[in-house]
Amino acid sequence: MKYICINCGYIYDPTLGDPTGGIEPGTAFEDLPEDWTCPLCYVTKDNFDPID
Amino acid sequence: MKASVSSLYQAVELSQPIPPLLIGERCNTNGSKKFREMLLADDFDGCLQVALDQEAKGAQVLDICTAYAGRDEKADLKRFFTMLIGSVKLPLMIDSTQPDCIAEILKIYPGRCIINSINLEDGGANLHKVCTLAKKYGAAVVALTINKAGMAMTTAEKVETAQQIYDLAVGEHGLRPQDLLFDPLTFTIGSGDESLHDAAIQTLNAITQIKKQMPGVRTLLGVSNISFGLRPAARKVLNSVFLHEAVEAGLDAAIVDTAKVIPLAQIANEDRDVCSDLIYNRQKNADKNALMAFIDYFEEKGDTDDQDESQQDIAAEKLLGQMVLKSNKDGLDDVLTILLGRYKPLDIINTLLVPAMRYVGELFGKGEILLPFVLQSAEVMKKAVAFLEPFMDKADASDKLKVLLATVQGDVHDIGKNLVDIILTNNGYKVYNIGIKVPAETIIEKAKEYDVDIIGLSGLLVKSAIVMQDSMPQYKEAGLKTPILLGGAALTPKFVAESCVPGHAEPVVYCADAFAGLKAVREFEQGKLEPTVFETKTPATARKTTKNVEIDTNVPVPQTPFLGKRIVTDVDPTALYGYVNEQALFRGRWGYRRGKMTAEEYAMLTKDTVIPIYEKLKERGITENLIQPKVTYGYFKCHSKDESVYVQDGETTYEFAFPRQEFAPNLCIADFFKPETNGGDVAGFFVVTIGEKIGQIAKELFEKDAYHDYLMLHGFGVEVTDALAEYWHEQMRIEMGISAQRPDDVTGFVTQQYQGSRYGFGYPACPDLGAHEHVFKLLDPEDIGVTLTENMEMVPEQTTSAIVAHHPQAKYFAV
Ligand code: B12
Ligand SMILES: [Zn+2]
């Protein structure tokens, strides 16, 4: 499932991962490290909402 | 010996051959919404009609109550009684707690009436006055079994209280026993409250015993209380069965809605059994108590409720809680008026309102409800407290815990602190909100002046965090014995624990949001507040980071239409709406998060609630001229050297220094501008603002306690400001001829699907807000009404600045 950053609107798409943050494509949002932050605005994981 | 009451036209025996004597309850401001509304509208003809209707429906006496906060009870009673005396044949019952009101009516009443009511709550002062009047005018009196300790709950207490009243009324005042109507009180058996399981039994037994112990007296009950909290259709049946049981126990009179009493014969045996099981608390089913069985039974039967009645039939106590929870203000004053007849104002706050708000907070914490709804609940709370305040003693207010709130020196951020104010105030604490940009000296002075228990400081800037750290010893030296709560975006638990806690002698506590603040205040009350400690977590898992990238130093320098600065004041506000980051607005600024909702539920919420708010604000933004976009921007020759960009404005060179990432790809903003050796480059800058109007209106909303609208308007302003920055950045790309790649939608803008980047000062890649000093020299934002605070914040609040890079590899990154 995709997740959206409530602070800036960035969308975490597990099929893409987060290359700048060292997250491999195929990583589910739930499996992101607890200290992972939004690559655009740097807020923490709890500031993300599931979408679709 | 017989006793009767009478009107001008007829006398009615208090003991009917076929009991009970039915007393109509509808002419009562506390019990009937319809009646109350007519009275408030001074529609006395309408009020009279309510009386006549009851007469037609079989009432034998009418209860009349016109008490309503803010109205002249005596004048209303007198006017209404004057009309009733001439038009209604039935004897009347004066329902008032005020001896002077009662006296006024007794003087004009031509027959013999009933006074409702006396009790021993105040130890007997009122009772003496009313009994004196009753004796003088020969009235009958209703006596409630309430004593100094409150409402009598058990049979023994009820009988004992009745005996005490009897001794005074009969013994001292010489009333006849048959002129007394004892009401041993009915409590609901429909709420599931453990302590009330046998409430009906206690009341029924009291009826029998009072009559046995005090021969000659009568008994009376307000029957419908028995079923508060249940569905209207089920209530009708239960009330009628209970009335029947009460009559069996010896009841003489009942205050009822005569239109709703169902003759026992018309009640099916099965219905009747379920009701008496509940009344006598008989559990017949191992896994269902009598109440559950009752509810399930009537649920299955599926009788439809009378819609108009369902609202007022719920117990006022429960209704008030629901009004807070569902943020419903309609009829709030009415419910409070009813409750004021039962409780002290402070008790309404502490035992009904505060727990309701606490519950709202808990639901928010669990993600069950969203921030905008919490604010709406707080509005209901605020309104309720404002209504109750005039009825409170000064002393009531002064024993609340006191909290001082301020945004620290040099920082203009208001809304975070104000949200904390809203949440604390509406959880029953006294808040002194002394504003923004407050120096520590003033905070100390005010803390002493108001003798507060806790200080809360807010600040969103990195600079503010430093201000907090530096001022801790000042609070300590000033001898303040108050703990200090700290909140705002630039703080972390680590910073607070390591840099602030050691400076002050009392606990210093990091609060992530307003509810963390509430939790801290509660802990303080319980003597459990501890300073923030920071436990180093296991170091972050080393992650593969992007390899070093090569930044192209031969990107062609765009042709800018001019060098230097320009001002633009004719931006069309409607042009900005297409750039608004709606997701950030709805979910982030406004707090309409998806939380535990399904995708469909969230889509519904968005469609039905959020979008309409947004559309309305967009419209107001234009019609009320809330958005007044102004821009100052420019292009300047520049070159980079190491981590700095040197910007040329005429003869003057300004150095902008930027940090470099300490990890791959080790980026620095300076990398995106060509060094002198490669011919130098051009840098763009802008300062944009939507003006101060929106901030002013938001402030007014906060002051008017329109919390929800305050959050909505503030958030809207924030995102429109950002939209203006996004819009203007695009105009600059167009001017520079680098706009070939245009994002398809707002998400495309968010993720920078365009050439170049804008970096806001104070954000991670260019954290030094001090650079604003240079920006202000380059662009003269004063010309569009923007000034700088000593902490390098821009005023008005809804302003933003940036340096613009055209380099195709320039994107956001963190340092
Ligand atoms: C919205 C926003 C804006 C908006 C509106 C600003 C405004 N004042 O309304 C706009 C787009 C205009 C803006 C502009 C800028 N911003 Co800005 N902005 C934010 C953002 C994203 C949210 C702020 C906000 O309104 N939050 C909502 C309120 C309700 O939350 P809050 O204030 O944090 O309060 C809650 C808690 O913190 C806590 N709390 C707060 N105080 C207290 C006190 C107590 C006692 C307790 C118990 C709890 C408590 O409870 C509150 C309610 O739950 C923050 C980042 C962030 N995550 O906070 C950056 C942020 C504040 N901005 C920042 C910056 C740099 C800027 C700019 C300088 C950027 C630029 N170069 O233009 C400008 C400056 C604007 C100016 N006028 O000077 C930085 C500041 C850092 C720094 N270097 O000092 C931040 C922290 C972003 C970041 N991560 O770097 N910004
Ligand atoms: Zn983000």
Side-chain angles (χ1 to χ4, degrees):
Chain A
M1 185 156 34
K2 289 183 190 170
Y3 278 75
I4 188 164
C5 170
I6 64 160
N7 193 46
C8 76
Y10 162 84
I11 293 171
Y12 178 79
D13 180 346
T15 58
L16 304 176
D18 168 25
T20 57
I23 303 295
E24 301 276 353
T27 310
F29 182 81
E30 292 73 22
D31 297 333
L32 291 172
E34 277 313 306
D35 59 351
W36 179 82
T37 56
C38 171
L40 292 181
C41 75
Y42 320 111
V43 297
T44 48
K45 266 181 87 175
D46 53 336
N47 288 293
F48 277 75
D49 259 11
I51 43 174
D52 57 55
Chain B
M1 198 192 320
K2 285 206 171 165
S4 61
V5 289
S6 63
S7 69
L8 200 51
Y9 306 95
Q10 66 184 76
V12 175
E13 296 297 323
L14 284 183
S15 293
Q16 290 284 307
I18 309 170
L21 173 76
L22 294 178
I23 304 174
E25 67 180 9
R26 308 306 293 166
C27 290
N28 187 329
T29 38
N30 293 336
S32 164
K33 191 167 176 226
K34 190 172 145 202
F35 181 80
R36 175 167 60 241
E37 278 167 1
M38 288 192 287
L39 184 81
L40 291 185
D42 285 316
D43 176 8
F44 282 86
D45 290 331
C47 292
L48 181 62
Q49 196 53 51
V50 176
L52 293 169
D53 286 350
Q54 294 183 90
E55 185 168 39
K57 293 247 168 68
Q60 295 161 301
V61 173
L62 297 181
D63 182 57
I64 310 294
C65 174
T66 63
Y68 191 82
R71 283 192 69 99
D72 182 346
E73 185 189 351
K74 201 193 284 181
D76 284 339
L77 260 187
K78 206 171 164 185
R79 181 159 170 204
F80 193 34
F81 261 86
T82 313
M83 293 171 79
L84 290 165
I85 288 166
S87 314
V88 175
K89 295 202 172 54
L90 303 179
L92 303 173
M93 179 165 190
I94 317 168
D95 188 345
S96 171
T97 54
Q98 305 300 318
D100 58 327
C101 291
I102 296 169
E104 201 67 26
I105 300 308
L106 290 173
K107 269 188 235 161
I108 59 167
Y109 195 75
R112 175 160 199 261
C113 68
I114 311 177
I115 299 168
N116 184 13
S117 57
I118 55 170
N119 63 60
L120 279 178
E121 192 182 11
D122 66 355
N126 228 34
L127 180 144
H128 287 299
K129 287 188 197 146
V130 176
C131 287
T132 310
L133 289 169
K135 181 74 187 163
K136 179 170 171 198
Y137 291 96
V141 183
V142 175
L144 308 181
T145 55
I146 305 176
N147 55 35
K148 269 186 157 170
M151 303 197 243
M153 306 299 291
T154 63
T155 303
E157 284 165 8
K158 291 174 200 279
V159 177
E160 194 190 321
T161 311
Q163 183 70 57
Q164 285 164 3
I165 294 176
Y166 181 94
D167 293 345
L168 293 170
V170 178
E172 283 185 26
H173 287 275
L175 299 185
R176 298 178 306 172
Q178 60 267 37
D179 294 332
L180 283 178
L181 289 132
F182 280 109
D183 180 346
L185 309 179
T186 318
F187 299 97
T188 180
I189 49 175
S191 69
D193 184 334
E194 280 292 325
S195 65
L196 293 177
H197 267 167
D198 61 352
I201 304 174
Q202 301 293 345
T203 300
L204 294 175
N205 289 344
I207 293 172
T208 316
Q209 282 204 33
I210 286 172
K211 294 192 72 165
K212 205 165 129 201
Q213 195 168 311
M214 290 156 257
V217 302
R218 322 283 168 178
T219 51
L220 165 149
L221 276 184
V223 169
S224 51
N225 284 15
I226 194 75
S227 60
F228 270 142
L230 294 168
R231 282 187 35 202
R235 291 194 64 177
K236 246 181 166 172
V237 184
L238 180 61
N239 291 353
S240 298
V241 176
F242 178 66
L243 178 58
H244 172 80
E245 295 298 325
V247 169
E248 292 286 291
L251 187 76
D252 299 289
I255 303 185
V256 289
D257 182 351
T258 37
K260 286 202 195 148
V261 180
I262 316 174
L264 200 66
Q266 281 177 27
I267 298 177
N269 277 342
E270 209 185 352
D271 289 11
R272 202 179 143 176
D273 287 347
V274 178
C275 289
S276 25
D277 287 347
L278 179 57
I279 291 167
Y280 292 105
N281 194 22
R282 288 188 291 245
Q283 179 161 355
K284 287 196 176 149
N285 185 325
D287 46 51
K288 251 191 220 173
N289 67 21
L291 178 60
M292 299 301 292
F294 177 93
I295 290 172
D296 288 354
Y297 175 81
F298 281 97
E299 203 64 45
E300 268 165 42
K301 252 188 112 213
D303 288 353
T304 42
D305 302 334
D306 299 349
Q307 269 310 317
D308 57 320
E309 298 289 340
S310 54
Q311 167 105 358
Q312 63 186 40
D313 271 348
I314 303 176
E317 289 85 351
K318 210 170 153 187
L319 193 58
L320 185 65
Q322 278 180 3
M323 291 177 101
V324 171
L325 183 62
K326 301 263 183 262
S327 47
N328 171 12
K329 280 183 238 172
D330 297 337
L332 180 65
D333 293 1
D334 301 351
V335 174
L336 290 168
T337 307
I338 296 174
L339 289 169
L340 273 174
R342 302 184 194 162
Y343 308 92
K344 296 199 179 74
L346 192 63
D347 292 339
I348 298 177
I349 295 175
N350 289 337
T351 62
L352 298 172
L353 288 166
V354 169
M357 268 311 284
R358 191 169 297 198
Y359 182 56
V360 168
E362 280 164 18
L363 290 179
F364 176 76
K366 284 193 238 155
E368 308 272 344
I369 54 171
L370 303 170
L371 181 65
F373 301 114
V374 175
L375 294 185
Q376 285 175 329
S377 293
E379 287 178 20
V380 178
M381 169 85 183
K382 182 85 187 186
K383 192 163 178 262
V385 172
F387 180 88
L388 294 173
E389 251 159 12
F391 300 96
M392 283 180 354
D393 300 337
K394 275 227 179 70
D396 284 352
S398 65
D399 54 69
K400 285 190 202 168
L401 197 98
K402 289 175 277 189
V403 185
L404 182 103
L405 289 181
T407 301
V408 297
Q409 180 147 34
D411 195 331
V412 300
H413 285 97
D414 217 6
I415 192 164
K417 164 184 65 67
N418 289 347
L419 288 187
V420 177
D421 178 351
I422 292 168
I423 297 302
L424 292 182
T425 302
N426 294 299
N427 275 281
Y429 302 106
K430 173 72 195 158
V431 173
Y432 298 92
N433 183 342
I434 61 169
I436 55 173
K437 295 200 283 183
V438 191
E441 296 72 32
T442 314
I443 298 174
I444 291 168
E445 189 193 311
K446 294 288 172 192
K448 288 186 171 165
E449 182 185 330
Y450 300 134
D451 190 24
V452 298
D453 303 290
I454 298 185
I455 295 175
L457 303 180
S458 179
L460 260 68
L461 304 175
V462 174
K463 182 73 205 300
S464 304
I466 306 300
V467 168
M468 291 176 188
Q469 172 183 8
D470 292 348
S471 62
M472 286 302 128
Q474 256 178 287
Y475 293 102
K476 183 176 169 183
E477 273 152 36
L480 286 183
K481 292 275 172 281
T482 55
I484 299 180
L485 312 182
L486 302 177
L491 295 170
T492 59
K494 183 173 191 290
F495 176 82
V496 172
E498 290 170 2
S499 308
C500 301
V501 170
H504 187 45
E506 301 297 321
V508 178
V509 184
Y510 169 76
C511 299
D513 59 24
F515 290 94
L518 177 62
K519 182 165 168 269
V521 173
R522 292 234 175 91
E523 284 172 357
F524 172 76
E525 267 183 318
Q526 298 158 353
K528 292 197 306 202
L529 186 65
E530 295 287 338
T532 298
V533 285
F534 180 73
E535 291 131 38
T536 24
K537 293 204 199 95
T538 41
T541 32
R543 262 175 266 145
K544 269 193 282 173
T545 50
T546 326
K547 291 173 208 67
N548 241 332
V549 288
E550 204 57 45
I551 303 294
D552 186 351
T553 52
N554 280 310
V555 174
V557 178
Q559 270 293 318
T560 59
F562 65 94
L563 286 177
K565 63 137 199 187
R566 274 187 190 172
I567 283 176
V568 181
T569 53
D570 60 354
V571 177
D572 175 7
T574 46
L576 305 181
Y577 290 151
Y579 294 80
V580 171
N581 186 342
E582 294 175 6
Q583 294 301 323
L585 174 61
F586 298 170
R587 298 176 198 253
R589 305 288 87 79
W590 285 354
Y592 284 110
R593 296 190 59 170
R594 172 155 154 204
K596 293 189 175 160
M597 279 172 258
T598 64
E600 292 73 42
E601 284 165 342
Y602 187 68
M604 285 260 287
L605 175 80
T606 308
K607 182 170 150 288
D608 297 340
T609 306
V610 187
I611 301 276
I613 297 175
Y614 180 47
E615 290 303 327
K616 183 92 200 130
L617 282 172
K618 283 197 328 197
E619 192 192 310
R620 289 184 55 200
I622 307 301
T623 54
E624 293 175 32
N625 205 16
L626 298 180
I627 303 167
Q628 306 170 345
K630 292 189 186 67
V631 176
T632 173
Y633 78 114
Y635 305 99
F636 300 88
K637 291 239 174 271
C638 72
H639 67 268
S640 67
K641 187 164 183 289
D642 303 324
E643 278 77 44
S644 288
V645 177
Y646 295 87
V647 177
Q648 204 66 40
D649 183 24
E651 297 302 298
T652 325
T653 307
Y654 298 97
E655 181 189 352
F656 290 84
F658 300 102
R660 181 173 294 287
Q661 285 180 318
E662 284 177 6
F663 45 89
N666 302 94
L667 295 174
C668 170
I669 289 180
D671 300 346
F672 303 120
F673 295 92
K674 290 203 271 191
E676 228 166 1
T677 46
N678 289 29
D681 215 319
V682 65
F685 290 89
F686 67 71
V687 170
V688 301
T689 184
I690 59 163
E692 58 185 5
K693 185 155 182 197
I694 216 162
Q696 284 166 352
I697 299 200
K699 190 162 175 263
E700 285 167 20
L701 287 173
F702 172 66
E703 280 160 6
K704 280 197 305 201
D705 303 320
Y707 307 142
H708 171 266
D709 293 358
Y710 171 51
L711 181 73
M712 296 299 118
L713 187 65
H714 184 273
F716 177 72
V718 165
E719 288 305 329
V720 173
T721 308
D722 208 53
L724 175 58
E726 197 72 89
Y727 170 79
W728 198 257
H729 184 198
E730 178 163 54
Q731 301 312 305
M732 290 176 77
R733 289 197 301 277
I734 294 170
E735 287 188 349
M736 290 188 283
I738 56 166
S739 58
Q741 186 193 357
R742 189 178 193 270
D744 304 329
D745 51 20
V746 173
T747 313
F749 279 97
V750 170
T751 51
Q752 301 194 292
Q753 309 295 324
Y754 50 69
Q755 179 174 336
S757 186
R758 63 178 161 106
Y759 299 98
F761 295 100
Y763 281 92
C766 51
D768 181 17
L769 271 181
H772 271 152
E773 243 167 329
H774 293 341
V775 176
F776 270 58
K777 293 239 169 65
L778 292 170
L779 300 178
D780 298 318
E782 292 84 359
D783 295 346
I784 55 165
V786 174
T787 54
L788 265 191
T789 72
E790 73 244 52
N791 281 3
M792 299 290 143
E793 257 182 290
M794 297 171 289
V795 178
E797 219 180 322
Q798 306 302 354
T799 304
T800 185
S801 70
I803 176 171
V804 175
H806 65 79
H807 198 290
Q809 285 168 290
K811 293 291 167 239
Y812 296 138
F813 60 91
V815 177

